[in-house]
């Protein structure tokens, strides 16, 4: 049996902190994979915020949520699909309301509702560019805004909450961003947070994971 992928481990660590009614943030919505995962984990009484600067990413995330809503309806045969939040996200009754935000993740401290500040249980980052057909690979996450977003995320976390960041050193500029995130995590005071790295050392260009758990 092999090791978990970095994406699977990020979700596992986030799931350990989440429970029905929790609030969480997808800092890089992309195709909506983590957004949907968080919405399922938080449940209908929770709340999820999903950020992306690309309208295509927001649309893909909205479509993934809508597909989950259709699957839920066809499987259960009941329940209406509620339109959710200002971003126009949709969610079936089994999912948390999702607020889709066409905005940089460095603005999360400003855009997360006051009642959820200091109560967020998980913030997930999947850095780099928007994958898949039609994704613009010239639009990538940047060290300066990523580190600012990580700082904001840490401030929003509840005690024992977690930030996960999947890093991609293999694309142009990705190694610089990864080094900046590593330096940020390593410099955190141990009384504030604990950080960990999960990496495959035989594949130095492969994606890897850094996670930070707030004390």
């Amino acid at each position: 049996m092999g090791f978990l992928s970095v994406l699977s481990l990020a979700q596992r660590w986030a799931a350990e902190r989440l429970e029905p009614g929790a609030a969480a943030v997808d800092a890089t919505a992309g195709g909506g994979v983590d957004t949907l995962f968080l919405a399922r984990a938080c449940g209908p009484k929770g709340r999820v915020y999903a950020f992306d600067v690309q309208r295509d990413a927001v649309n893909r995330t909205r479509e993934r949520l809508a597909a989950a809503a259709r699957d839920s309806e066809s499987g259960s045969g009941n329940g209406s699909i509620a339109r959710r939040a200002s971003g126009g996200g949709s969610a079936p009754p089994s999912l948390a309301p999702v607020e889709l935000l066409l905005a940089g993740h460095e603005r999360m401290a400003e855009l997360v509702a006051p009642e959820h500040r200091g109560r967020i249980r998980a913030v997930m980052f999947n850095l780099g560019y928007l994958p898949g057909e039609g994704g613009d690979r010239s639009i990538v996450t940047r060290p300066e805004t990523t580190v600012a977003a990580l700082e904001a995320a840490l401030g929003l976390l509840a005690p024992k909450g977690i930030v996960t960041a999947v890093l991609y050193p293999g694309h142009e500029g990705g190694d610089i961003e990864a080094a900046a995130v590593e330096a940020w995590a390593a410099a955190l005071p141990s009384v504030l947070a604990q950080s960990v790295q999960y990496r495959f050392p035989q594949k130095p260009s492969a994606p890897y994971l850094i996670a930070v758990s707030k004390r």
Side-chain angles (χ1 to χ4, degrees), residues 11 24-42 47-52 57-58 60-62 64-65 89-90 95-100 124:
Q11 289 192 352
V25 174
D26 185 351
T28 48
V33 173
D34 286 334
T35 304
L36 180 56
F37 157 76
L38 291 170
R40 284 176 170 150
C42 293
R47 173 61 65 94
V48 174
Y49 299 87
F51 290 83
D52 211 291
V58 171
R60 289 189 197 185
T61 301
R62 182 182 294 112
R64 186 177 294 274
L65 293 168
S90 61
L95 301 189
V98 176
E99 184 162 355
L100 295 171
M124 301 186 74

PDB file of all heavy atoms in Angstrom, residues 11 24-42 47-52 57-58 60-62 64-65 89-90 95-100 124:
ATOM      1  N   GLN A  11      -7.104  16.790   2.945  1.00  0.00           N
ATOM      2  CA  GLN A  11      -8.520  16.614   3.291  1.00  0.00           C
ATOM      3  C   GLN A  11      -8.688  15.813   4.580  1.00  0.00           C
ATOM      4  O   GLN A  11      -9.568  16.115   5.392  1.00  0.00           O
ATOM      5  CB  GLN A  11      -9.263  15.950   2.137  1.00  0.00           C
ATOM      6  CG  GLN A  11      -9.443  16.857   0.934  1.00  0.00           C
ATOM      7  CD  GLN A  11     -10.417  16.310  -0.081  1.00  0.00           C
ATOM      8  OE1 GLN A  11     -10.868  15.172   0.021  1.00  0.00           O
ATOM      9  NE2 GLN A  11     -10.757  17.116  -1.067  1.00  0.00           N
ATOM     10  N   ALA A  24     -15.652  26.894   7.516  1.00  0.00           N
ATOM     11  CA  ALA A  24     -14.369  26.595   6.888  1.00  0.00           C
ATOM     12  C   ALA A  24     -14.178  27.490   5.674  1.00  0.00           C
ATOM     13  O   ALA A  24     -15.125  28.119   5.183  1.00  0.00           O
ATOM     14  CB  ALA A  24     -14.303  25.124   6.477  1.00  0.00           C
ATOM     15  N   VAL A  25     -12.940  27.514   5.160  1.00  0.00           N
ATOM     16  CA  VAL A  25     -12.589  28.359   4.024  1.00  0.00           C
ATOM     17  C   VAL A  25     -11.813  27.542   3.002  1.00  0.00           C
ATOM     18  O   VAL A  25     -10.857  26.848   3.354  1.00  0.00           O
ATOM     19  CB  VAL A  25     -11.731  29.572   4.458  1.00  0.00           C
ATOM     20  CG1 VAL A  25     -11.256  30.376   3.239  1.00  0.00           C
ATOM     21  CG2 VAL A  25     -12.502  30.470   5.412  1.00  0.00           C
ATOM     22  N   ASP A  26     -12.235  27.616   1.740  1.00  0.00           N
ATOM     23  CA  ASP A  26     -11.411  27.160   0.626  1.00  0.00           C
ATOM     24  C   ASP A  26     -10.762  28.407   0.045  1.00  0.00           C
ATOM     25  O   ASP A  26     -11.423  29.220  -0.601  1.00  0.00           O
ATOM     26  CB  ASP A  26     -12.262  26.440  -0.428  1.00  0.00           C
ATOM     27  CG  ASP A  26     -11.422  25.845  -1.552  1.00  0.00           C
ATOM     28  OD1 ASP A  26     -10.209  26.132  -1.607  1.00  0.00           O
ATOM     29  OD2 ASP A  26     -11.979  25.106  -2.384  1.00  0.00           O
ATOM     30  N   ALA A  27      -9.464  28.560   0.273  1.00  0.00           N
ATOM     31  CA  ALA A  27      -8.763  29.785  -0.118  1.00  0.00           C
ATOM     32  C   ALA A  27      -8.464  29.843  -1.602  1.00  0.00           C
ATOM     33  O   ALA A  27      -8.107  30.911  -2.115  1.00  0.00           O
ATOM     34  CB  ALA A  27      -7.460  29.913   0.684  1.00  0.00           C
ATOM     35  N   THR A  28      -8.573  28.719  -2.293  1.00  0.00           N
ATOM     36  CA  THR A  28      -8.290  28.637  -3.733  1.00  0.00           C
ATOM     37  C   THR A  28      -9.322  27.703  -4.356  1.00  0.00           C
ATOM     38  O   THR A  28      -9.061  26.515  -4.528  1.00  0.00           O
ATOM     39  CB  THR A  28      -6.871  28.095  -3.981  1.00  0.00           C
ATOM     40  OG1 THR A  28      -6.664  26.923  -3.170  1.00  0.00           O
ATOM     41  CG2 THR A  28      -5.801  29.123  -3.602  1.00  0.00           C
ATOM     42  N   ALA A  29     -10.482  28.232  -4.700  1.00  0.00           N
ATOM     43  CA  ALA A  29     -11.603  27.377  -5.105  1.00  0.00           C
ATOM     44  C   ALA A  29     -11.270  26.492  -6.302  1.00  0.00           C
ATOM     45  O   ALA A  29     -11.620  25.312  -6.323  1.00  0.00           O
ATOM     46  CB  ALA A  29     -12.828  28.238  -5.415  1.00  0.00           C
ATOM     47  N   GLY A  30     -10.607  27.038  -7.310  1.00  0.00           N
ATOM     48  CA  GLY A  30     -10.230  26.234  -8.472  1.00  0.00           C
ATOM     49  C   GLY A  30     -11.429  25.544  -9.083  1.00  0.00           C
ATOM     50  O   GLY A  30     -12.418  26.180  -9.447  1.00  0.00           O
ATOM     51  N   GLY A  31     -11.372  24.211  -9.174  1.00  0.00           N
ATOM     52  CA  GLY A  31     -12.494  23.451  -9.718  1.00  0.00           C
ATOM     53  C   GLY A  31     -13.542  23.077  -8.704  1.00  0.00           C
ATOM     54  O   GLY A  31     -14.503  22.386  -9.036  1.00  0.00           O
ATOM     55  N   GLY A  32     -13.368  23.479  -7.453  1.00  0.00           N
ATOM     56  CA  GLY A  32     -14.385  23.256  -6.439  1.00  0.00           C
ATOM     57  C   GLY A  32     -14.285  21.951  -5.680  1.00  0.00           C
ATOM     58  O   GLY A  32     -15.174  21.629  -4.887  1.00  0.00           O
ATOM     59  N   VAL A  33     -13.196  21.197  -5.877  1.00  0.00           N
ATOM     60  CA  VAL A  33     -13.075  19.902  -5.200  1.00  0.00           C
ATOM     61  C   VAL A  33     -13.039  20.080  -3.687  1.00  0.00           C
ATOM     62  O   VAL A  33     -13.788  19.421  -2.947  1.00  0.00           O
ATOM     63  CB  VAL A  33     -11.821  19.149  -5.696  1.00  0.00           C
ATOM     64  CG1 VAL A  33     -11.592  17.884  -4.876  1.00  0.00           C
ATOM     65  CG2 VAL A  33     -11.960  18.795  -7.171  1.00  0.00           C
ATOM     66  N   ASP A  34     -12.167  20.956  -3.199  1.00  0.00           N
ATOM     67  CA  ASP A  34     -12.088  21.173  -1.753  1.00  0.00           C
ATOM     68  C   ASP A  34     -13.318  21.901  -1.230  1.00  0.00           C
ATOM     69  O   ASP A  34     -13.745  21.664  -0.094  1.00  0.00           O
ATOM     70  CB  ASP A  34     -10.813  21.947  -1.398  1.00  0.00           C
ATOM     71  CG  ASP A  34      -9.564  21.097  -1.491  1.00  0.00           C
ATOM     72  OD1 ASP A  34      -9.669  19.860  -1.345  1.00  0.00           O
ATOM     73  OD2 ASP A  34      -8.475  21.659  -1.721  1.00  0.00           O
ATOM     74  N   THR A  35     -13.895  22.785  -2.040  1.00  0.00           N
ATOM     75  CA  THR A  35     -15.115  23.481  -1.605  1.00  0.00           C
ATOM     76  C   THR A  35     -16.223  22.476  -1.306  1.00  0.00           C
ATOM     77  O   THR A  35     -16.889  22.553  -0.265  1.00  0.00           O
ATOM     78  CB  THR A  35     -15.586  24.470  -2.683  1.00  0.00           C
ATOM     79  OG1 THR A  35     -14.539  25.381  -3.004  1.00  0.00           O
ATOM     80  CG2 THR A  35     -16.792  25.264  -2.196  1.00  0.00           C
ATOM     81  N   LEU A  36     -16.423  21.541  -2.218  1.00  0.00           N
ATOM     82  CA  LEU A  36     -17.459  20.536  -2.015  1.00  0.00           C
ATOM     83  C   LEU A  36     -17.132  19.644  -0.821  1.00  0.00           C
ATOM     84  O   LEU A  36     -18.016  19.327  -0.012  1.00  0.00           O
ATOM     85  CB  LEU A  36     -17.619  19.689  -3.285  1.00  0.00           C
ATOM     86  CG  LEU A  36     -18.671  18.578  -3.232  1.00  0.00           C
ATOM     87  CD1 LEU A  36     -20.050  19.118  -2.869  1.00  0.00           C
ATOM     88  CD2 LEU A  36     -18.716  17.824  -4.555  1.00  0.00           C
ATOM     89  N   PHE A  37     -15.862  19.254  -0.700  1.00  0.00           N
ATOM     90  CA  PHE A  37     -15.452  18.455   0.465  1.00  0.00           C
ATOM     91  C   PHE A  37     -15.779  19.186   1.768  1.00  0.00           C
ATOM     92  O   PHE A  37     -16.341  18.599   2.707  1.00  0.00           O
ATOM     93  CB  PHE A  37     -13.957  18.163   0.384  1.00  0.00           C
ATOM     94  CG  PHE A  37     -13.322  17.849   1.701  1.00  0.00           C
ATOM     95  CD1 PHE A  37     -13.507  16.619   2.307  1.00  0.00           C
ATOM     96  CD2 PHE A  37     -12.554  18.804   2.365  1.00  0.00           C
ATOM     97  CE1 PHE A  37     -12.945  16.339   3.545  1.00  0.00           C
ATOM     98  CE2 PHE A  37     -11.984  18.533   3.589  1.00  0.00           C
ATOM     99  CZ  PHE A  37     -12.179  17.298   4.190  1.00  0.00           C
ATOM    100  N   LEU A  38     -15.444  20.464   1.849  1.00  0.00           N
ATOM    101  CA  LEU A  38     -15.697  21.236   3.069  1.00  0.00           C
ATOM    102  C   LEU A  38     -17.196  21.389   3.320  1.00  0.00           C
ATOM    103  O   LEU A  38     -17.650  21.301   4.469  1.00  0.00           O
ATOM    104  CB  LEU A  38     -15.032  22.607   2.967  1.00  0.00           C
ATOM    105  CG  LEU A  38     -13.503  22.621   2.987  1.00  0.00           C
ATOM    106  CD1 LEU A  38     -12.972  24.006   2.628  1.00  0.00           C
ATOM    107  CD2 LEU A  38     -12.962  22.179   4.342  1.00  0.00           C
ATOM    108  N   ALA A  39     -17.967  21.609   2.253  1.00  0.00           N
ATOM    109  CA  ALA A  39     -19.419  21.765   2.421  1.00  0.00           C
ATOM    110  C   ALA A  39     -20.050  20.484   2.957  1.00  0.00           C
ATOM    111  O   ALA A  39     -20.970  20.528   3.781  1.00  0.00           O
ATOM    112  CB  ALA A  39     -20.050  22.152   1.081  1.00  0.00           C
ATOM    113  N   ARG A  40     -19.561  19.343   2.504  1.00  0.00           N
ATOM    114  CA  ARG A  40     -20.067  18.075   3.028  1.00  0.00           C
ATOM    115  C   ARG A  40     -19.685  17.891   4.487  1.00  0.00           C
ATOM    116  O   ARG A  40     -20.486  17.431   5.298  1.00  0.00           O
ATOM    117  CB  ARG A  40     -19.523  16.927   2.185  1.00  0.00           C
ATOM    118  CG  ARG A  40     -20.211  16.770   0.836  1.00  0.00           C
ATOM    119  CD  ARG A  40     -19.567  15.685  -0.006  1.00  0.00           C
ATOM    120  NE  ARG A  40     -20.367  15.394  -1.191  1.00  0.00           N
ATOM    121  CZ  ARG A  40     -19.873  14.967  -2.335  1.00  0.00           C
ATOM    122  NH1 ARG A  40     -18.563  14.779  -2.459  1.00  0.00           N
ATOM    123  NH2 ARG A  40     -20.666  14.736  -3.364  1.00  0.00           N
ATOM    124  N   ALA A  41     -18.437  18.231   4.809  1.00  0.00           N
ATOM    125  CA  ALA A  41     -17.955  18.019   6.178  1.00  0.00           C
ATOM    126  C   ALA A  41     -18.650  18.946   7.175  1.00  0.00           C
ATOM    127  O   ALA A  41     -18.893  18.559   8.317  1.00  0.00           O
ATOM    128  CB  ALA A  41     -16.438  18.228   6.228  1.00  0.00           C
ATOM    129  N   CYS A  42     -18.962  20.167   6.754  1.00  0.00           N
ATOM    130  CA  CYS A  42     -19.569  21.143   7.671  1.00  0.00           C
ATOM    131  C   CYS A  42     -21.080  20.960   7.808  1.00  0.00           C
ATOM    132  O   CYS A  42     -21.662  21.364   8.816  1.00  0.00           O
ATOM    133  CB  CYS A  42     -19.253  22.563   7.207  1.00  0.00           C
ATOM    134  SG  CYS A  42     -17.501  23.000   7.330  1.00  0.00           S
ATOM    135  N   ARG A  47     -20.977  26.638   7.428  1.00  0.00           N
ATOM    136  CA  ARG A  47     -20.781  27.675   6.414  1.00  0.00           C
ATOM    137  C   ARG A  47     -19.405  27.486   5.792  1.00  0.00           C
ATOM    138  O   ARG A  47     -18.435  27.217   6.506  1.00  0.00           O
ATOM    139  CB  ARG A  47     -20.889  29.075   7.031  1.00  0.00           C
ATOM    140  CG  ARG A  47     -20.539  30.230   6.089  1.00  0.00           C
ATOM    141  CD  ARG A  47     -21.450  30.304   4.876  1.00  0.00           C
ATOM    142  NE  ARG A  47     -22.820  30.603   5.208  1.00  0.00           N
ATOM    143  CZ  ARG A  47     -23.342  31.843   5.205  1.00  0.00           C
ATOM    144  NH1 ARG A  47     -22.594  32.876   4.890  1.00  0.00           N
ATOM    145  NH2 ARG A  47     -24.615  32.009   5.516  1.00  0.00           N
ATOM    146  N   VAL A  48     -19.337  27.651   4.476  1.00  0.00           N
ATOM    147  CA  VAL A  48     -18.066  27.580   3.749  1.00  0.00           C
ATOM    148  C   VAL A  48     -17.913  28.842   2.920  1.00  0.00           C
ATOM    149  O   VAL A  48     -18.863  29.289   2.265  1.00  0.00           O
ATOM    150  CB  VAL A  48     -18.003  26.333   2.842  1.00  0.00           C
ATOM    151  CG1 VAL A  48     -16.741  26.352   1.978  1.00  0.00           C
ATOM    152  CG2 VAL A  48     -18.055  25.059   3.685  1.00  0.00           C
ATOM    153  N   TYR A  49     -16.709  29.400   2.945  1.00  0.00           N
ATOM    154  CA  TYR A  49     -16.321  30.515   2.084  1.00  0.00           C
ATOM    155  C   TYR A  49     -15.318  29.984   1.070  1.00  0.00           C
ATOM    156  O   TYR A  49     -14.372  29.287   1.436  1.00  0.00           O
ATOM    157  CB  TYR A  49     -15.668  31.627   2.899  1.00  0.00           C
ATOM    158  CG  TYR A  49     -16.565  32.233   3.953  1.00  0.00           C
ATOM    159  CD1 TYR A  49     -16.655  31.663   5.227  1.00  0.00           C
ATOM    160  CD2 TYR A  49     -17.311  33.372   3.693  1.00  0.00           C
ATOM    161  CE1 TYR A  49     -17.481  32.206   6.204  1.00  0.00           C
ATOM    162  CE2 TYR A  49     -18.142  33.932   4.668  1.00  0.00           C
ATOM    163  CZ  TYR A  49     -18.213  33.349   5.908  1.00  0.00           C
ATOM    164  OH  TYR A  49     -19.021  33.895   6.876  1.00  0.00           O
ATOM    165  N   ALA A  50     -15.519  30.321  -0.208  1.00  0.00           N
ATOM    166  CA  ALA A  50     -14.603  29.873  -1.256  1.00  0.00           C
ATOM    167  C   ALA A  50     -14.135  31.086  -2.055  1.00  0.00           C
ATOM    168  O   ALA A  50     -14.961  31.828  -2.615  1.00  0.00           O
ATOM    169  CB  ALA A  50     -15.291  28.863  -2.165  1.00  0.00           C
ATOM    170  N   PHE A  51     -12.818  31.259  -2.125  1.00  0.00           N
ATOM    171  CA  PHE A  51     -12.205  32.412  -2.792  1.00  0.00           C
ATOM    172  C   PHE A  51     -11.514  31.991  -4.086  1.00  0.00           C
ATOM    173  O   PHE A  51     -10.868  30.945  -4.142  1.00  0.00           O
ATOM    174  CB  PHE A  51     -11.146  33.044  -1.886  1.00  0.00           C
ATOM    175  CG  PHE A  51     -11.691  33.744  -0.681  1.00  0.00           C
ATOM    176  CD1 PHE A  51     -12.014  33.022   0.462  1.00  0.00           C
ATOM    177  CD2 PHE A  51     -11.869  35.115  -0.668  1.00  0.00           C
ATOM    178  CE1 PHE A  51     -12.507  33.661   1.593  1.00  0.00           C
ATOM    179  CE2 PHE A  51     -12.363  35.765   0.454  1.00  0.00           C
ATOM    180  CZ  PHE A  51     -12.686  35.032   1.594  1.00  0.00           C
ATOM    181  N   ASP A  52     -11.614  32.822  -5.097  1.00  0.00           N
ATOM    182  CA  ASP A  52     -10.768  32.692  -6.281  1.00  0.00           C
ATOM    183  C   ASP A  52     -10.808  34.005  -7.050  1.00  0.00           C
ATOM    184  O   ASP A  52     -11.840  34.696  -7.050  1.00  0.00           O
ATOM    185  CB  ASP A  52     -11.213  31.537  -7.179  1.00  0.00           C
ATOM    186  CG  ASP A  52     -10.024  30.921  -7.916  1.00  0.00           C
ATOM    187  OD1 ASP A  52      -9.453  31.601  -8.804  1.00  0.00           O
ATOM    188  OD2 ASP A  52      -9.640  29.783  -7.607  1.00  0.00           O
ATOM    189  N   ALA A  57     -12.942  29.852 -12.406  1.00  0.00           N
ATOM    190  CA  ALA A  57     -12.852  28.979 -11.236  1.00  0.00           C
ATOM    191  C   ALA A  57     -14.128  29.055 -10.398  1.00  0.00           C
ATOM    192  O   ALA A  57     -14.636  28.025  -9.930  1.00  0.00           O
ATOM    193  CB  ALA A  57     -11.638  29.360 -10.397  1.00  0.00           C
ATOM    194  N   VAL A  58     -14.640  30.251 -10.197  1.00  0.00           N
ATOM    195  CA  VAL A  58     -15.883  30.411  -9.439  1.00  0.00           C
ATOM    196  C   VAL A  58     -17.022  29.688 -10.143  1.00  0.00           C
ATOM    197  O   VAL A  58     -17.837  29.001  -9.510  1.00  0.00           O
ATOM    198  CB  VAL A  58     -16.197  31.910  -9.245  1.00  0.00           C
ATOM    199  CG1 VAL A  58     -17.596  32.099  -8.643  1.00  0.00           C
ATOM    200  CG2 VAL A  58     -15.154  32.564  -8.344  1.00  0.00           C
ATOM    201  N   ARG A  60     -16.755  27.115 -12.234  1.00  0.00           N
ATOM    202  CA  ARG A  60     -16.549  25.666 -12.118  1.00  0.00           C
ATOM    203  C   ARG A  60     -16.992  25.165 -10.749  1.00  0.00           C
ATOM    204  O   ARG A  60     -17.597  24.094 -10.621  1.00  0.00           O
ATOM    205  CB  ARG A  60     -15.075  25.319 -12.330  1.00  0.00           C
ATOM    206  CG  ARG A  60     -14.566  25.468 -13.743  1.00  0.00           C
ATOM    207  CD  ARG A  60     -13.170  24.873 -13.849  1.00  0.00           C
ATOM    208  NE  ARG A  60     -12.455  25.313 -15.024  1.00  0.00           N
ATOM    209  CZ  ARG A  60     -11.260  24.860 -15.375  1.00  0.00           C
ATOM    210  NH1 ARG A  60     -10.645  23.964 -14.606  1.00  0.00           N
ATOM    211  NH2 ARG A  60     -10.659  25.301 -16.462  1.00  0.00           N
ATOM    212  N   THR A  61     -16.674  25.941  -9.717  1.00  0.00           N
ATOM    213  CA  THR A  61     -17.069  25.549  -8.362  1.00  0.00           C
ATOM    214  C   THR A  61     -18.579  25.557  -8.223  1.00  0.00           C
ATOM    215  O   THR A  61     -19.172  24.627  -7.644  1.00  0.00           O
ATOM    216  CB  THR A  61     -16.423  26.487  -7.334  1.00  0.00           C
ATOM    217  OG1 THR A  61     -14.998  26.421  -7.478  1.00  0.00           O
ATOM    218  CG2 THR A  61     -16.791  26.106  -5.921  1.00  0.00           C
ATOM    219  N   ARG A  62     -19.210  26.581  -8.766  1.00  0.00           N
ATOM    220  CA  ARG A  62     -20.676  26.639  -8.722  1.00  0.00           C
ATOM    221  C   ARG A  62     -21.288  25.431  -9.427  1.00  0.00           C
ATOM    222  O   ARG A  62     -22.247  24.822  -8.940  1.00  0.00           O
ATOM    223  CB  ARG A  62     -21.156  27.940  -9.373  1.00  0.00           C
ATOM    224  CG  ARG A  62     -22.671  28.126  -9.345  1.00  0.00           C
ATOM    225  CD  ARG A  62     -23.106  29.394 -10.046  1.00  0.00           C
ATOM    226  NE  ARG A  62     -22.645  30.564  -9.337  1.00  0.00           N
ATOM    227  CZ  ARG A  62     -21.732  31.408  -9.787  1.00  0.00           C
ATOM    228  NH1 ARG A  62     -21.151  31.200 -10.954  1.00  0.00           N
ATOM    229  NH2 ARG A  62     -21.367  32.462  -9.084  1.00  0.00           N
ATOM    230  N   ARG A  64     -19.907  22.469  -9.881  1.00  0.00           N
ATOM    231  CA  ARG A  64     -19.674  21.247  -9.095  1.00  0.00           C
ATOM    232  C   ARG A  64     -20.688  21.151  -7.953  1.00  0.00           C
ATOM    233  O   ARG A  64     -21.224  20.073  -7.674  1.00  0.00           O
ATOM    234  CB  ARG A  64     -18.246  21.235  -8.549  1.00  0.00           C
ATOM    235  CG  ARG A  64     -17.875  19.926  -7.850  1.00  0.00           C
ATOM    236  CD  ARG A  64     -16.427  19.939  -7.386  1.00  0.00           C
ATOM    237  NE  ARG A  64     -15.497  19.962  -8.492  1.00  0.00           N
ATOM    238  CZ  ARG A  64     -15.054  18.886  -9.136  1.00  0.00           C
ATOM    239  NH1 ARG A  64     -15.466  17.686  -8.764  1.00  0.00           N
ATOM    240  NH2 ARG A  64     -14.196  19.004 -10.127  1.00  0.00           N
ATOM    241  N   LEU A  65     -20.968  22.258  -7.298  1.00  0.00           N
ATOM    242  CA  LEU A  65     -21.960  22.258  -6.230  1.00  0.00           C
ATOM    243  C   LEU A  65     -23.351  21.946  -6.777  1.00  0.00           C
ATOM    244  O   LEU A  65     -24.131  21.207  -6.158  1.00  0.00           O
ATOM    245  CB  LEU A  65     -21.961  23.608  -5.516  1.00  0.00           C
ATOM    246  CG  LEU A  65     -20.697  23.950  -4.721  1.00  0.00           C
ATOM    247  CD1 LEU A  65     -20.718  25.426  -4.314  1.00  0.00           C
ATOM    248  CD2 LEU A  65     -20.550  23.072  -3.496  1.00  0.00           C
ATOM    249  N   GLY A  89     -23.586  30.521  -5.143  1.00  0.00           N
ATOM    250  CA  GLY A  89     -23.357  29.082  -5.021  1.00  0.00           C
ATOM    251  C   GLY A  89     -24.657  28.371  -4.722  1.00  0.00           C
ATOM    252  O   GLY A  89     -25.638  28.958  -4.294  1.00  0.00           O
ATOM    253  N   SER A  90     -24.690  27.085  -4.976  1.00  0.00           N
ATOM    254  CA  SER A  90     -25.872  26.299  -4.659  1.00  0.00           C
ATOM    255  C   SER A  90     -25.459  25.094  -3.852  1.00  0.00           C
ATOM    256  O   SER A  90     -24.341  24.622  -3.962  1.00  0.00           O
ATOM    257  CB  SER A  90     -26.590  25.853  -5.935  1.00  0.00           C
ATOM    258  OG  SER A  90     -25.739  25.055  -6.720  1.00  0.00           O
ATOM    259  N   LEU A  95     -25.488  19.773   2.407  1.00  0.00           N
ATOM    260  CA  LEU A  95     -24.259  20.561   2.358  1.00  0.00           C
ATOM    261  C   LEU A  95     -24.407  21.881   3.089  1.00  0.00           C
ATOM    262  O   LEU A  95     -25.492  22.417   3.249  1.00  0.00           O
ATOM    263  CB  LEU A  95     -23.863  20.858   0.902  1.00  0.00           C
ATOM    264  CG  LEU A  95     -23.604  19.691  -0.034  1.00  0.00           C
ATOM    265  CD1 LEU A  95     -23.030  20.203  -1.337  1.00  0.00           C
ATOM    266  CD2 LEU A  95     -22.686  18.662   0.598  1.00  0.00           C
ATOM    267  N   ALA A  96     -23.259  22.406   3.500  1.00  0.00           N
ATOM    268  CA  ALA A  96     -23.248  23.740   4.089  1.00  0.00           C
ATOM    269  C   ALA A  96     -23.535  24.789   3.020  1.00  0.00           C
ATOM    270  O   ALA A  96     -23.190  24.607   1.850  1.00  0.00           O
ATOM    271  CB  ALA A  96     -21.878  24.012   4.707  1.00  0.00           C
ATOM    272  N   PRO A  97     -24.150  25.898   3.396  1.00  0.00           N
ATOM    273  CA  PRO A  97     -24.220  27.032   2.481  1.00  0.00           C
ATOM    274  C   PRO A  97     -22.797  27.451   2.092  1.00  0.00           C
ATOM    275  O   PRO A  97     -21.906  27.486   2.938  1.00  0.00           O
ATOM    276  CB  PRO A  97     -24.903  28.121   3.311  1.00  0.00           C
ATOM    277  CG  PRO A  97     -25.623  27.393   4.387  1.00  0.00           C
ATOM    278  CD  PRO A  97     -24.793  26.184   4.692  1.00  0.00           C
ATOM    279  N   VAL A  98     -22.601  27.756   0.822  1.00  0.00           N
ATOM    280  CA  VAL A  98     -21.286  28.139   0.313  1.00  0.00           C
ATOM    281  C   VAL A  98     -21.353  29.561  -0.223  1.00  0.00           C
ATOM    282  O   VAL A  98     -22.195  29.870  -1.073  1.00  0.00           O
ATOM    283  CB  VAL A  98     -20.816  27.184  -0.803  1.00  0.00           C
ATOM    284  CG1 VAL A  98     -19.485  27.656  -1.384  1.00  0.00           C
ATOM    285  CG2 VAL A  98     -20.686  25.761  -0.273  1.00  0.00           C
ATOM    286  N   GLU A  99     -20.487  30.413   0.268  1.00  0.00           N
ATOM    287  CA  GLU A  99     -20.376  31.768  -0.252  1.00  0.00           C
ATOM    288  C   GLU A  99     -19.195  31.810  -1.211  1.00  0.00           C
ATOM    289  O   GLU A  99     -18.039  31.661  -0.801  1.00  0.00           O
ATOM    290  CB  GLU A  99     -20.187  32.777   0.880  1.00  0.00           C
ATOM    291  CG  GLU A  99     -20.176  34.203   0.375  1.00  0.00           C
ATOM    292  CD  GLU A  99     -20.416  35.237   1.464  1.00  0.00           C
ATOM    293  OE1 GLU A  99     -20.691  34.835   2.610  1.00  0.00           O
ATOM    294  OE2 GLU A  99     -20.326  36.434   1.160  1.00  0.00           O
ATOM    295  N   LEU A 100     -19.499  31.980  -2.499  1.00  0.00           N
ATOM    296  CA  LEU A 100     -18.471  32.044  -3.536  1.00  0.00           C
ATOM    297  C   LEU A 100     -18.045  33.487  -3.728  1.00  0.00           C
ATOM    298  O   LEU A 100     -18.874  34.357  -4.013  1.00  0.00           O
ATOM    299  CB  LEU A 100     -19.022  31.480  -4.844  1.00  0.00           C
ATOM    300  CG  LEU A 100     -19.368  29.991  -4.842  1.00  0.00           C
ATOM    301  CD1 LEU A 100     -20.102  29.618  -6.128  1.00  0.00           C
ATOM    302  CD2 LEU A 100     -18.119  29.156  -4.683  1.00  0.00           C
ATOM    303  N   MET A 124      -8.172  25.739   3.581  1.00  0.00           N
ATOM    304  CA  MET A 124      -7.423  24.904   2.645  1.00  0.00           C
ATOM    305  C   MET A 124      -6.912  25.746   1.469  1.00  0.00           C
ATOM    306  O   MET A 124      -7.679  26.491   0.852  1.00  0.00           O
ATOM    307  CB  MET A 124      -8.295  23.755   2.134  1.00  0.00           C
ATOM    308  CG  MET A 124      -8.816  22.851   3.244  1.00  0.00           C
ATOM    309  SD  MET A 124      -9.694  21.382   2.621  1.00  0.00           S
ATOM    310  CE  MET A 124      -8.283  20.421   2.030  1.00  0.00           C
TER     311      MET A 124
END
